Amino acid sequence: MLEKGKKYECNIVDMGQNGVGIGKHDGFTVFVDGALLGETVDVKITKSKKKYAEGVISKVKEKSPHRVERVCNPKYSQCGGCQIQELDYKKQLELKTNIVREDLRRIGGLEDVEVLDAIGMENPFRYRNKAQFPVRLENGKVKIGFYKKKSHDIIDVDKCVIQDVKNDEIIEIIRDYIAEENISIYDEKSHSGVLRHIVTKCGFTSGQVMVVLVATEDRFKNIDKLVGKLKESIEGFTSLVVNINKDRTNVILGRKNINKFGDGKIVDNIGDLKFEISPLSFFQVNPVQTEVLYNKALEFADLKEGDRVFDVYCGIGSISLFLAQKAEFVYGVEIVEDAIKDAMINAKLNGMDNLEFFVGKAEEVVPEIYKQGKRANVVVVDPPRKGCDEKVLDTIVEMEPERVVYVSCNPSTLARDLRYLEDRGYRCEKVQPVDLFAHSVHVECIALIQRVKS
């Protein structure tokens, strides 16, 4: 065991899926936050266990040739958002490709699946169209920013290089408003106060901007003054919404929205398709790479005349609409009722009538509509991080579609579900990682799965 509080020299021999350097000191494993593969570092031990230790860098003795300077302010280095910003972007893509490959091998036992190189961005900055800023009062000072790694402490941020540039000015305007009107700030320990979060949504193609104040109650003094300042300073400012969240929870948004300015929605495009976005709508945060991802889904689906598609976990119907451009008919399934309402609006907005949407748990709805006689020869799934429910996978196997296209935000659960399908008459042909979250360790990927003909 290594002693807590002491410093040890470590050679970084690998990088973990959370972006942490995996080091060795005399054969003993040390996880080192911020260390890169190939580096030699002095590490101060913060946690010591029998089989491993955790520590922080006190000195980089030998730098990786792939270490680069942070683009954002070094004082934000403890922000939990950009875990690998110090790693050269090309190497970030290699790391993400390797994460997918290793998960398929280690969890799924899939040694011979072709994992293509991750598709990266031409400019991996200022790409996010949505931001969520927690607001806290610490030692009498209002902090607006992002959570510190592994904590609920706030890193106070005035500029974030992966968010839309308009956010920098929006946050500054709201800071001034809070100070001038003495706005009450929420305290999560005592569950008292009003303002909890600030959420922004920016349309990359439309230029429209929505600002959402998440609060325990609608108690904002002189809010017209805030509206006036946002209208004057923020190009495209369209909506100000107060979202009510009274629950003692880590869930950011509540169910109730009160429009203070505008109609509480913005419109944006992915490719030729228009989407209406409300405060509660799920919409991919990187519109440039989302178009890449959805076009790849369309390519893998390989739709032909007469094809019918199940789109399971369909959200606001964004993938459904892409598929409906070529399919005869698309059935979308989603548990969130508001998302399905948005999906129907989006279908109408784009003049599409070859879709039908169903609300409910995928593991209940998919078997039910299959029993009712609805069939598809192509199935697309885009589940949450926990992956597909087994009942969904069992219905897919029973229905025997020719192809399954699996869009995943978690390679670990993708690997598990691919193993399940491979054991039941399907084969994963290839997986394409797509970098939607540059400078973080998250990786989106898409798998093409074919039914094996008996």
Side-chain angles (χ1 to χ4, degrees):
M1 280 180 64
L2 304 185
E3 196 174 326
K4 185 179 175 180
K6 279 200 168 184
K7 293 179 184 176
Y8 299 87
E9 183 179 279
C10 293
N11 297 314
I12 308 302
V13 296
D14 203 354
M15 288 187 73
Q17 294 194 4
N18 55 0
V20 170
I22 301 172
K24 294 288 183 181
H25 175 81
D26 291 339
F28 192 82
T29 299
V30 185
F31 297 103
V32 188
D33 192 31
L36 303 181
L37 177 64
E39 292 188 327
T40 302
V41 294
D42 284 340
V43 180
K44 185 177 180 180
I45 302 301
T46 56
K47 183 189 282 188
S48 185
K49 300 285 185 182
K50 273 187 179 180
K51 294 187 176 179
Y52 71 92
E54 295 177 13
V56 294
I57 297 172
S58 63
K59 184 181 179 182
V60 179
K61 298 174 90 169
E62 253 183 73
K63 271 188 185 182
S64 163
H66 307 298
R67 180 177 283 277
V68 296
E69 292 296 319
R70 289 184 72 87
V71 173
C72 70
N73 193 319
K75 73 180 181 181
Y76 303 151
S77 61
Q78 286 303 303
C79 169
C82 292
Q83 305 99 328
I84 53 174
Q85 199 188 116
E86 283 101 345
L87 182 62
D88 174 74
Y89 186 58
K90 185 178 176 185
K91 285 293 172 182
Q92 289 184 30
L93 298 177
E94 289 179 14
L95 173 68
K96 292 181 182 190
T97 303
N98 195 51
I99 285 171
V100 175
R101 188 177 287 121
E102 282 302 301
D103 273 355
L104 294 184
R105 182 190 61 78
R106 182 174 52 85
I107 297 169
L110 303 167
E111 302 276 359
D112 56 351
V113 172
E114 181 183 14
V115 178
L116 303 165
D117 291 340
I119 301 173
M121 300 190 71
E122 194 174 323
N123 176 23
F125 294 99
R126 297 293 188 183
Y127 62 82
R128 287 185 65 100
N129 59 12
K130 175 186 172 186
Q132 300 175 152
F133 301 90
V135 185
R136 297 288 182 273
L137 190 63
E138 294 182 13
N139 300 319
K141 184 189 175 187
V142 174
K143 289 191 171 183
I144 303 173
F146 303 107
Y147 290 120
K148 189 177 179 180
K149 292 174 185 175
K150 300 179 183 176
S151 83
H152 263 219
D153 296 337
I154 302 294
I155 303 287
D156 204 22
V157 172
D158 55 18
K159 184 170 95 170
C160 175
V161 297
I162 63 168
Q163 307 286 353
D164 190 295
V165 69
K166 291 176 183 176
N167 284 322
D168 301 341
E169 195 168 358
I170 290 169
I171 294 306
E172 201 53 45
I173 290 167
I174 295 177
R175 280 187 203 276
D176 291 343
Y177 168 71
I178 290 169
E180 288 166 11
E181 302 300 331
N182 194 25
I183 300 300
S184 167
I185 305 301
Y186 177 73
D187 182 277
E188 63 180 0
K189 289 179 182 173
S190 65
H191 193 52
S192 61
V194 176
L195 181 60
R196 302 173 67 139
H197 276 79
I198 300 161
V199 176
T200 63
K201 296 192 175 191
C202 303
F204 265 44
T205 57
S206 68
Q208 295 179 355
V209 177
M210 176 193 300
V211 178
V212 183
L213 304 179
V214 184
T216 54
E217 55 185 308
D218 182 16
R219 186 155 60 85
F220 291 95
K221 292 176 283 183
N222 296 321
I223 200 162
D224 287 348
K225 184 195 280 188
L226 176 59
V227 169
K229 189 62 179 172
L230 289 168
K231 282 171 69 177
E232 175 190 320
S233 304
I234 306 301
E235 187 178 350
F237 172 63
T238 304
S239 285
L240 177 67
V241 179
V242 173
N243 173 271
I244 304 299
N245 184 354
K246 296 184 177 185
D247 297 337
R248 194 187 283 263
T249 176
N250 288 333
V251 177
I252 291 172
L253 291 165
R255 303 301 307 166
K256 183 180 178 182
N257 293 310
I258 303 165
N259 295 339
K260 295 296 182 179
F261 173 73
D263 59 3
K265 60 186 78 165
I266 61 173
V267 173
D268 206 11
N269 286 58
I270 301 176
D272 295 329
L273 297 173
K274 279 184 182 177
F275 295 92
E276 196 173 272
I277 303 160
S278 66
L280 299 176
S281 297
F282 172 79
F283 195 68
Q284 290 281 13
V285 301
N286 184 333
V288 173
Q289 292 295 85
T290 296
E291 186 173 355
V292 172
L293 183 77
Y294 288 0
N295 281 328
K296 188 59 67 173
L298 204 52
E299 177 192 320
F300 281 10
D302 190 24
L303 297 173
K304 297 174 177 64
E305 190 177 345
D307 282 347
R308 299 175 83 81
V309 185
F310 274 18
D311 181 14
V312 187
Y313 312 98
C314 71
I316 65 168
S318 44
I319 292 181
S320 300
L321 267 63
F322 261 70
L323 298 166
Q325 293 175 108
K326 292 196 173 183
E328 179 180 290
F329 206 87
V330 178
Y331 302 102
V333 178
E334 169 59 47
I335 190 172
V336 180
E337 188 174 354
D338 283 348
I340 288 295
K341 287 177 183 174
D342 286 341
M344 292 174 176
I345 289 167
N346 289 327
K348 192 174 179 182
L349 197 63
N350 290 280
M352 293 182 170
D353 58 6
N354 59 332
L355 303 103
E356 185 176 0
F357 294 103
F358 300 86
V359 181
K361 293 180 179 178
E363 60 270 26
E364 295 173 2
V365 174
V366 173
E368 182 58 33
I369 63 175
Y370 176 64
K371 280 181 193 170
Q372 292 170 7
K374 292 180 170 57
R375 298 288 186 272
N377 56 315
V378 177
V379 172
V380 176
V381 294
D382 186 5
R385 290 190 63 78
K386 67 180 182 179
C388 288
D389 188 278
E390 245 180 52
K391 289 179 183 174
V392 172
L393 297 176
D394 286 341
T395 304
I396 290 171
V397 171
E398 188 179 346
M399 187 166 30
E400 296 187 335
E402 297 160 24
R403 291 177 297 289
V404 179
V405 178
Y406 192 132
V407 182
S408 169
C409 60
N410 185 349
S412 300
T413 53
L414 169 67
R416 179 202 68 200
D417 291 349
L418 289 180
R419 177 74 272 158
Y420 193 88
L421 290 171
E422 289 241 347
D423 291 341
R424 288 159 179 80
Y426 282 84
R427 172 177 168 74
C428 181
E429 297 291 337
K430 55 186 171 182
V431 177
Q432 174 66 73
V434 180
D435 189 28
L436 266 73
F437 309 101
H439 311 299
S440 82
V441 292
H442 299 297
V443 56
E444 198 93 2
C445 52
I446 186 162
L448 170 60
I449 306 146
Q450 300 273 17
R451 186 162 70 90
V452 178
K453 307 289 184 187
S454 56

